[in-house]
Each structure stands twice: as C-alpha cells, then as structure tokens.
Amino acid sequence: MLMVSSGLVDAVTFLGLNHVFVANMTGNVVFSGFAISGSPRHQLWAHLLALAAFAAGAWSEGRVARKIAELRRRLFHLTATHAILVAAALAVVLLTGERGPGPQAALIVLLGYGMGMQNAVALRMAVPDLVNITVVTSIVTRLVSEKAEHAWRRRACAVAALFAGALVGTGLYLAAGMAAPLAADFVLLALIAYVARDLMPRPVQR
C-alpha cells in the first residue's frame, strides 16, 4: 500500500510540478545534474528543495523513533501525520492551484516531507525486498538474477504496486487535475494508518 502511494504521488508531482519527484530521490539527483547543465525542462531549486524536504522528513522519523519504540505504533503516527500533510497539499491546490513558485514550493515541501517519513519507517520495518518503497531497481535485479522459492512473488508484487500507483495517479491527474490524485492518496494513507492502528498491541487487562 505504501508503494502504491509512492507511485501515485510521484506521478502527480512529475506531471504537475515540472518533473519533480517527491518520493524518488534518485530522479531528483539526476535531474539536478540536468538542470546545472542547462536543461530548460528542469528547475534546480525545485529538485534541491525536494531533496531537502525528503531528508527533513527522514530525520524527523529518527526523532520520533526515540520516543515511540514500538514499530507499529510509530507507523500509525507517522502515516497519520503524512495523511495530514497530503490534506494540506490538497488544500493548497484547491485554494491557490499548483502554478507559480509559491504554491509549487509548498507542495514540494509538504509532499516530500511526508515521503521522507514514510521511507524511513519502511526502512525500519525491514520487510525483505520492500525496504525501499520508491525505487525498484534492486528489486528487479534480484527478481531476474536470483533464484528463490517464493521471493519472486513478493518482488513482482512490489514492482506491480509502484506501477499501479503511477498508473492511477497519472489517470486521475489527466482526467481531473492534481486535486483528484491527492485526494486518493489521502484516502489511501488514512486506510494504511487505520490498518496500522488495528495491528497495534492492545493493553493487557489486569
């Protein structure tokens, strides 16, 4: 579900914010090189801002980890916070649109910060082949180069999840603009938070 969310939001920002990723930092690093080299399709400030927002989100997850040791409880709190950030981004789009440096910067910060938190908590979950919820290069490499009895199913599902998110995000963006996929991402994150809350251990009755 987190990988679907990653694909969805990156499709939205890539199409609506001049080829900026808020989840896939590899793309921002490469595109920063394009911008420095003079590519008119890429804005250096936007890619650097996305990198900074993502890093800040990942850093904040580390601070939360010191206060909330139980991983499922931390996943719930961070995903709920991420949903609030997406709701704020949706409000920006509805109130001001996504054109202009001001709204674009706000959207990059809100969405990039949330994705940094989610990537950090996913890394701590340490699910095999799903540690990185934004990049599938290593998953595809292992899928075709290693022989494992059942791992190929998990790896194939991971690739399919990111693809599905990008597909849905693009379709919603082209049909109804940026607000629709952001609303869909908010609903998905709220569902993830609800599932994480349901999985949290219950207090022992004495």
Side-chain angles (χ1 to χ4, degrees), residues 6-114:
S6 297
L8 195 156
V9 75
D10 255 351
V12 173
T13 57
F14 184 84
L15 295 171
L17 300 179
N18 298 320
H19 305 109
V20 175
F21 288 117
V22 294
N24 181 2
M25 292 300 107
T26 304
N28 284 320
V29 171
V30 173
F31 289 159
S32 294
F34 294 170
I36 293 173
S37 297
S39 171
R41 300 181 62 186
H42 301 282
Q43 297 176 313
L44 180 61
W45 71 266
H47 298 300
L48 294 180
L49 183 61
L51 284 163
F54 186 94
W59 178 87
S60 67
E61 190 278 339
R63 307 289 77 74
V64 172
R66 296 179 181 178
K67 297 182 179 181
I68 306 177
E70 210 283 316
L71 185 57
R72 286 174 290 186
R73 191 178 302 277
R74 195 186 321 149
L75 175 64
F76 163 71
H77 287 287
L78 291 174
T79 305
T81 302
H82 190 184
I84 294 172
L85 293 172
V86 171
L90 178 58
V92 170
V93 172
L94 293 175
L95 294 174
T96 67
E98 66 268 22
R99 303 302 177 188
Q104 289 185 355
L107 290 170
I108 290 171
V109 169
L110 290 168
L111 298 173
Y113 191 92

